Amino acid sequence: MGNVEIIKWSFQEKSIKCISNKEQYVNYPVIYMLNNSKEAYIGETVYFKNRMRSHLKDKERKNLNEMHLIRHEEFNRSATFHLETKLINYFIGDEKYKLQNKSKTTSDFTHNYFNKSFYDQDVFKELWARLYEEGIVDNKQHVIENKDIFKISPFKELSVDQLELKDKVIQFCEEQRNIEHNEYGSLFVIKGEAGSGKSVVLSSIFNTIQEKSMETSTPLHDTENYLVVNHEEMYKTYKGIASQLKHLKAKNIAKPTPLINKLNKIGKKVDIILVDEAHLLLTRPDTYNNFYAENQLEELLKLAKIVVIVYDSDQVLKLKSLWNELTLERLTKKAKNTQHYELTNQFRMQANDEVINWINQIKQKRLLPLPYDEGYELKVFSSLEEMHKNIIERNIEYGLSRVVSTFDYLHKKDGEVYYIKEDNGKYKIPWNVTDTKYTWAENKSTIAEAGSIYTVQGFDLNYVGVILGPSITYDEQNDILVIKTEAYKDVGAYSGTEGIENIEEAKERIILNSLNILMKRGVKGLFIYASDEALKNKLLKYEKNRGVING
């Protein structure tokens, strides 16, 4: 069995001439990398010398000064196509180089081929280790795999369903671009629950649309397009992706209110606006944030020929963003043309259907006996200290493991730091401290903190430890969860009650949505600590009956 070999030359005609035509890799499937200190390009070929000469004539590539050839005795064309895409994805996560690659040179979907797992796991692991040892990349493989910028990279391999969705959206945009639009543009609605891969496919769609906007031969040539997200942590991640790809511009990543106000001021209608986490858009005026209209999605429909949204009504976190099917249906009728698609697969949690259903039942205030899943760690703890200790242990072993909490503790303040205090006041953990540059969970120091819904929505954790605060209680007599809306300390979540018929019911929904999102963050496991004694005892009873020993 052959090993990975990396050969390096200076990127110039003289070096190419020195390569003997008798070398096996000259007419053999290989991967290559061209780079200087700041930029890189990754490709694959079976005609290495010819391909390098072609790159020397390219105005972008000729500014690179090194070429690395990557070979393996067992490479075939399917393997090099696959590993080329995978390398690009990891290079985005490594963040050392700004990449010149465009997705049209790769495939969104890698077909199955003989011994694919060998190349995908064994060969790639060896390849990345070699790149790291030689200082070509900055981060080890497991570090990159825990980065948010890697997880929603536009070069991630898509599932069959995701690829079908992407094709439908691109076709919709091409068809709708040149039709006559009056006041409202056309709308494409993508629905999917937490963990269904909505952001991954949207990232890929935006990347391809931006590439097509620069190509003269496509229907989307010279279009002005934006990716919008009303979520600070996700906004940082998309900006980070744009900084790693030469053809993406950070100015095309925007928050809704500033974009709406800017386009209204200059009186301009743009071509395509893609909206991630559209359930976070405002559905009523918010003068504090300089939004004076009635609904942000409606305003975006007025300002673009095409609007593409990803949406989950179960992820609404504020009354002023409260969506219902009637609201969406009303806007759908106003749109020039509309199309819908629903993603149903669960891509985040490596859990069986019983675990997913157990969490989903909590949204309905039902507490079922704890399910068992050999491949997913679901545990209940009697103390916050013990749960936090276990999360720290998982973080050491797997990385990206954090404690998070329902928003019930803001009133407890020591100095300038807000604390969650539990275990009869004997144990405390500070609320998250946000950073303007890095997403919360990627900051190493946050292992000592508890994250809020606003720091983790939309992101993966390997293990999540969820504190069910005082707003989540249990009525033993009626065997039902009781939501104490007065205990929820997110003041901003309750502002904007105008037009809401049942305010108490709406507040309950906000809290249950928040809890559902928190409980679906963990890829490998979910740990739970409950503040309410009745709820804690019921969960521990279920834990004991399941036969699992906890601390």
PDB file of all heavy atoms in Angstrom, residues 189-198 279 310-315 341-345:
ATOM      1  N   VAL A 189     -38.974  29.547  -0.505  1.00  0.00           N
ATOM      2  CA  VAL A 189     -38.975  29.247   0.934  1.00  0.00           C
ATOM      3  C   VAL A 189     -38.391  27.860   1.182  1.00  0.00           C
ATOM      4  O   VAL A 189     -38.898  26.863   0.661  1.00  0.00           O
ATOM      5  CB  VAL A 189     -40.404  29.315   1.518  1.00  0.00           C
ATOM      6  CG1 VAL A 189     -40.379  28.983   3.012  1.00  0.00           C
ATOM      7  CG2 VAL A 189     -41.027  30.681   1.270  1.00  0.00           C
ATOM      8  N   ILE A 190     -37.324  27.796   1.973  1.00  0.00           N
ATOM      9  CA  ILE A 190     -36.713  26.529   2.374  1.00  0.00           C
ATOM     10  C   ILE A 190     -37.030  26.313   3.852  1.00  0.00           C
ATOM     11  O   ILE A 190     -36.628  27.104   4.701  1.00  0.00           O
ATOM     12  CB  ILE A 190     -35.180  26.558   2.183  1.00  0.00           C
ATOM     13  CG1 ILE A 190     -34.816  26.871   0.736  1.00  0.00           C
ATOM     14  CG2 ILE A 190     -34.561  25.229   2.633  1.00  0.00           C
ATOM     15  CD1 ILE A 190     -33.364  27.261   0.535  1.00  0.00           C
ATOM     16  N   LYS A 191     -37.762  25.255   4.153  1.00  0.00           N
ATOM     17  CA  LYS A 191     -38.099  24.953   5.541  1.00  0.00           C
ATOM     18  C   LYS A 191     -37.263  23.780   6.036  1.00  0.00           C
ATOM     19  O   LYS A 191     -36.899  22.887   5.276  1.00  0.00           O
ATOM     20  CB  LYS A 191     -39.586  24.628   5.673  1.00  0.00           C
ATOM     21  CG  LYS A 191     -40.510  25.830   5.495  1.00  0.00           C
ATOM     22  CD  LYS A 191     -41.943  25.467   5.836  1.00  0.00           C
ATOM     23  CE  LYS A 191     -42.850  26.679   5.710  1.00  0.00           C
ATOM     24  NZ  LYS A 191     -44.256  26.361   6.069  1.00  0.00           N
ATOM     25  N   GLY A 192     -36.995  23.770   7.325  1.00  0.00           N
ATOM     26  CA  GLY A 192     -36.243  22.673   7.928  1.00  0.00           C
ATOM     27  C   GLY A 192     -36.012  22.935   9.397  1.00  0.00           C
ATOM     28  O   GLY A 192     -35.810  24.083   9.802  1.00  0.00           O
ATOM     29  N   GLU A 193     -36.057  21.868  10.206  1.00  0.00           N
ATOM     30  CA  GLU A 193     -35.830  22.010  11.635  1.00  0.00           C
ATOM     31  C   GLU A 193     -34.356  22.220  11.944  1.00  0.00           C
ATOM     32  O   GLU A 193     -33.502  22.113  11.065  1.00  0.00           O
ATOM     33  CB  GLU A 193     -36.342  20.763  12.366  1.00  0.00           C
ATOM     34  CG  GLU A 193     -37.851  20.616  12.366  1.00  0.00           C
ATOM     35  CD  GLU A 193     -38.317  19.524  13.314  1.00  0.00           C
ATOM     36  OE1 GLU A 193     -37.452  18.816  13.875  1.00  0.00           O
ATOM     37  OE2 GLU A 193     -39.531  19.391  13.495  1.00  0.00           O
ATOM     38  N   ALA A 194     -34.057  22.473  13.218  1.00  0.00           N
ATOM     39  CA  ALA A 194     -32.673  22.619  13.670  1.00  0.00           C
ATOM     40  C   ALA A 194     -31.867  21.373  13.299  1.00  0.00           C
ATOM     41  O   ALA A 194     -32.303  20.254  13.543  1.00  0.00           O
ATOM     42  CB  ALA A 194     -32.643  22.833  15.183  1.00  0.00           C
ATOM     43  N   GLY A 195     -30.700  21.585  12.675  1.00  0.00           N
ATOM     44  CA  GLY A 195     -29.829  20.468  12.331  1.00  0.00           C
ATOM     45  C   GLY A 195     -30.122  19.816  10.995  1.00  0.00           C
ATOM     46  O   GLY A 195     -29.523  18.799  10.661  1.00  0.00           O
ATOM     47  N   SER A 196     -31.018  20.405  10.196  1.00  0.00           N
ATOM     48  CA  SER A 196     -31.373  19.791   8.913  1.00  0.00           C
ATOM     49  C   SER A 196     -30.480  20.237   7.762  1.00  0.00           C
ATOM     50  O   SER A 196     -30.727  19.870   6.611  1.00  0.00           O
ATOM     51  CB  SER A 196     -32.847  20.060   8.575  1.00  0.00           C
ATOM     52  OG  SER A 196     -33.110  21.452   8.506  1.00  0.00           O
ATOM     53  N   GLY A 197     -29.456  21.030   8.036  1.00  0.00           N
ATOM     54  CA  GLY A 197     -28.475  21.391   7.006  1.00  0.00           C
ATOM     55  C   GLY A 197     -28.857  22.591   6.168  1.00  0.00           C
ATOM     56  O   GLY A 197     -28.377  22.743   5.039  1.00  0.00           O
ATOM     57  N   LYS A 198     -29.686  23.485   6.710  1.00  0.00           N
ATOM     58  CA  LYS A 198     -30.157  24.645   5.945  1.00  0.00           C
ATOM     59  C   LYS A 198     -29.020  25.614   5.626  1.00  0.00           C
ATOM     60  O   LYS A 198     -28.890  26.078   4.491  1.00  0.00           O
ATOM     61  CB  LYS A 198     -31.258  25.380   6.729  1.00  0.00           C
ATOM     62  CG  LYS A 198     -32.465  24.523   7.059  1.00  0.00           C
ATOM     63  CD  LYS A 198     -33.567  25.323   7.745  1.00  0.00           C
ATOM     64  CE  LYS A 198     -33.171  25.906   9.084  1.00  0.00           C
ATOM     65  NZ  LYS A 198     -32.868  24.886  10.108  1.00  0.00           N
ATOM     66  N   HIS A 279     -36.440  33.176  10.335  1.00  0.00           N
ATOM     67  CA  HIS A 279     -37.330  33.255  11.499  1.00  0.00           C
ATOM     68  C   HIS A 279     -36.861  34.304  12.508  1.00  0.00           C
ATOM     69  O   HIS A 279     -37.592  34.627  13.447  1.00  0.00           O
ATOM     70  CB  HIS A 279     -37.435  31.887  12.180  1.00  0.00           C
ATOM     71  CG  HIS A 279     -36.144  31.131  12.169  1.00  0.00           C
ATOM     72  ND1 HIS A 279     -35.804  30.245  11.167  1.00  0.00           N
ATOM     73  CD2 HIS A 279     -35.097  31.158  13.010  1.00  0.00           C
ATOM     74  CE1 HIS A 279     -34.603  29.745  11.414  1.00  0.00           C
ATOM     75  NE2 HIS A 279     -34.162  30.281  12.526  1.00  0.00           N
ATOM     76  N   VAL A 310     -34.342  30.631   4.369  1.00  0.00           N
ATOM     77  CA  VAL A 310     -34.434  29.383   5.136  1.00  0.00           C
ATOM     78  C   VAL A 310     -35.154  29.729   6.433  1.00  0.00           C
ATOM     79  O   VAL A 310     -34.881  30.756   7.060  1.00  0.00           O
ATOM     80  CB  VAL A 310     -33.053  28.731   5.401  1.00  0.00           C
ATOM     81  CG1 VAL A 310     -32.411  28.298   4.105  1.00  0.00           C
ATOM     82  CG2 VAL A 310     -32.128  29.658   6.154  1.00  0.00           C
ATOM     83  N   TYR A 311     -36.081  28.849   6.816  1.00  0.00           N
ATOM     84  CA  TYR A 311     -37.065  29.240   7.819  1.00  0.00           C
ATOM     85  C   TYR A 311     -37.474  28.053   8.672  1.00  0.00           C
ATOM     86  O   TYR A 311     -37.670  26.948   8.173  1.00  0.00           O
ATOM     87  CB  TYR A 311     -38.275  29.814   7.064  1.00  0.00           C
ATOM     88  CG  TYR A 311     -39.535  30.026   7.873  1.00  0.00           C
ATOM     89  CD1 TYR A 311     -39.700  31.176   8.629  1.00  0.00           C
ATOM     90  CD2 TYR A 311     -40.569  29.092   7.851  1.00  0.00           C
ATOM     91  CE1 TYR A 311     -40.870  31.390   9.358  1.00  0.00           C
ATOM     92  CE2 TYR A 311     -41.732  29.300   8.575  1.00  0.00           C
ATOM     93  CZ  TYR A 311     -41.877  30.448   9.317  1.00  0.00           C
ATOM     94  OH  TYR A 311     -43.026  30.653  10.033  1.00  0.00           O
ATOM     95  N   ASP A 312     -37.581  28.296   9.986  1.00  0.00           N
ATOM     96  CA  ASP A 312     -38.092  27.293  10.913  1.00  0.00           C
ATOM     97  C   ASP A 312     -38.879  28.035  11.986  1.00  0.00           C
ATOM     98  O   ASP A 312     -38.297  28.728  12.828  1.00  0.00           O
ATOM     99  CB  ASP A 312     -36.942  26.491  11.534  1.00  0.00           C
ATOM    100  CG  ASP A 312     -37.413  25.467  12.570  1.00  0.00           C
ATOM    101  OD1 ASP A 312     -38.637  25.282  12.700  1.00  0.00           O
ATOM    102  OD2 ASP A 312     -36.560  24.868  13.249  1.00  0.00           O
ATOM    103  N   SER A 313     -40.195  27.897  11.965  1.00  0.00           N
ATOM    104  CA  SER A 313     -41.034  28.635  12.909  1.00  0.00           C
ATOM    105  C   SER A 313     -40.746  28.261  14.357  1.00  0.00           C
ATOM    106  O   SER A 313     -41.064  28.999  15.283  1.00  0.00           O
ATOM    107  CB  SER A 313     -42.516  28.411  12.601  1.00  0.00           C
ATOM    108  OG  SER A 313     -42.840  27.031  12.693  1.00  0.00           O
ATOM    109  N   ASP A 314     -40.121  27.082  14.575  1.00  0.00           N
ATOM    110  CA  ASP A 314     -39.796  26.647  15.931  1.00  0.00           C
ATOM    111  C   ASP A 314     -38.494  27.258  16.456  1.00  0.00           C
ATOM    112  O   ASP A 314     -38.022  26.877  17.525  1.00  0.00           O
ATOM    113  CB  ASP A 314     -39.687  25.115  15.993  1.00  0.00           C
ATOM    114  CG  ASP A 314     -41.045  24.457  15.881  1.00  0.00           C
ATOM    115  OD1 ASP A 314     -42.059  25.136  16.127  1.00  0.00           O
ATOM    116  OD2 ASP A 314     -41.108  23.260  15.535  1.00  0.00           O
ATOM    117  N   GLN A 315     -37.899  28.177  15.691  1.00  0.00           N
ATOM    118  CA  GLN A 315     -36.680  28.824  16.168  1.00  0.00           C
ATOM    119  C   GLN A 315     -36.857  30.319  16.397  1.00  0.00           C
ATOM    120  O   GLN A 315     -35.884  31.045  16.552  1.00  0.00           O
ATOM    121  CB  GLN A 315     -35.527  28.571  15.182  1.00  0.00           C
ATOM    122  CG  GLN A 315     -35.094  27.118  15.134  1.00  0.00           C
ATOM    123  CD  GLN A 315     -33.719  26.941  14.504  1.00  0.00           C
ATOM    124  OE1 GLN A 315     -32.752  27.589  14.896  1.00  0.00           O
ATOM    125  NE2 GLN A 315     -33.622  26.058  13.524  1.00  0.00           N
ATOM    126  N   TYR A 341     -39.573  24.282  -0.524  1.00  0.00           N
ATOM    127  CA  TYR A 341     -38.817  23.027  -0.404  1.00  0.00           C
ATOM    128  C   TYR A 341     -38.585  22.773   1.076  1.00  0.00           C
ATOM    129  O   TYR A 341     -38.295  23.714   1.829  1.00  0.00           O
ATOM    130  CB  TYR A 341     -37.469  23.122  -1.131  1.00  0.00           C
ATOM    131  CG  TYR A 341     -36.779  21.791  -1.332  1.00  0.00           C
ATOM    132  CD1 TYR A 341     -36.842  21.139  -2.558  1.00  0.00           C
ATOM    133  CD2 TYR A 341     -36.071  21.181  -0.308  1.00  0.00           C
ATOM    134  CE1 TYR A 341     -36.220  19.922  -2.769  1.00  0.00           C
ATOM    135  CE2 TYR A 341     -35.449  19.957  -0.496  1.00  0.00           C
ATOM    136  CZ  TYR A 341     -35.520  19.335  -1.730  1.00  0.00           C
ATOM    137  OH  TYR A 341     -34.902  18.114  -1.933  1.00  0.00           O
ATOM    138  N   GLU A 342     -38.720  21.515   1.494  1.00  0.00           N
ATOM    139  CA  GLU A 342     -38.506  21.187   2.905  1.00  0.00           C
ATOM    140  C   GLU A 342     -37.384  20.168   3.054  1.00  0.00           C
ATOM    141  O   GLU A 342     -37.389  19.122   2.400  1.00  0.00           O
ATOM    142  CB  GLU A 342     -39.780  20.630   3.542  1.00  0.00           C
ATOM    143  CG  GLU A 342     -39.627  20.404   5.043  1.00  0.00           C
ATOM    144  CD  GLU A 342     -40.951  20.223   5.772  1.00  0.00           C
ATOM    145  OE1 GLU A 342     -42.004  20.196   5.092  1.00  0.00           O
ATOM    146  OE2 GLU A 342     -40.924  20.132   7.012  1.00  0.00           O
ATOM    147  N   LEU A 343     -36.399  20.498   3.911  1.00  0.00           N
ATOM    148  CA  LEU A 343     -35.329  19.563   4.272  1.00  0.00           C
ATOM    149  C   LEU A 343     -35.765  18.795   5.509  1.00  0.00           C
ATOM    150  O   LEU A 343     -36.163  19.398   6.513  1.00  0.00           O
ATOM    151  CB  LEU A 343     -34.022  20.319   4.558  1.00  0.00           C
ATOM    152  CG  LEU A 343     -33.316  20.932   3.349  1.00  0.00           C
ATOM    153  CD1 LEU A 343     -32.226  21.894   3.809  1.00  0.00           C
ATOM    154  CD2 LEU A 343     -32.716  19.854   2.454  1.00  0.00           C
ATOM    155  N   THR A 344     -35.706  17.480   5.454  1.00  0.00           N
ATOM    156  CA  THR A 344     -36.237  16.670   6.560  1.00  0.00           C
ATOM    157  C   THR A 344     -35.185  15.855   7.291  1.00  0.00           C
ATOM    158  O   THR A 344     -35.426  15.385   8.404  1.00  0.00           O
ATOM    159  CB  THR A 344     -37.322  15.708   6.040  1.00  0.00           C
ATOM    160  OG1 THR A 344     -36.774  14.915   4.984  1.00  0.00           O
ATOM    161  CG2 THR A 344     -38.522  16.486   5.501  1.00  0.00           C
ATOM    162  N   ASN A 345     -34.008  15.652   6.702  1.00  0.00           N
ATOM    163  CA  ASN A 345     -32.985  14.825   7.355  1.00  0.00           C
ATOM    164  C   ASN A 345     -32.316  15.584   8.490  1.00  0.00           C
ATOM    165  O   ASN A 345     -32.169  16.806   8.439  1.00  0.00           O
ATOM    166  CB  ASN A 345     -31.924  14.372   6.344  1.00  0.00           C
ATOM    167  CG  ASN A 345     -32.482  13.381   5.344  1.00  0.00           C
ATOM    168  OD1 ASN A 345     -33.366  12.601   5.674  1.00  0.00           O
ATOM    169  ND2 ASN A 345     -32.001  13.419   4.116  1.00  0.00           N
TER     170      ASN A 345
END
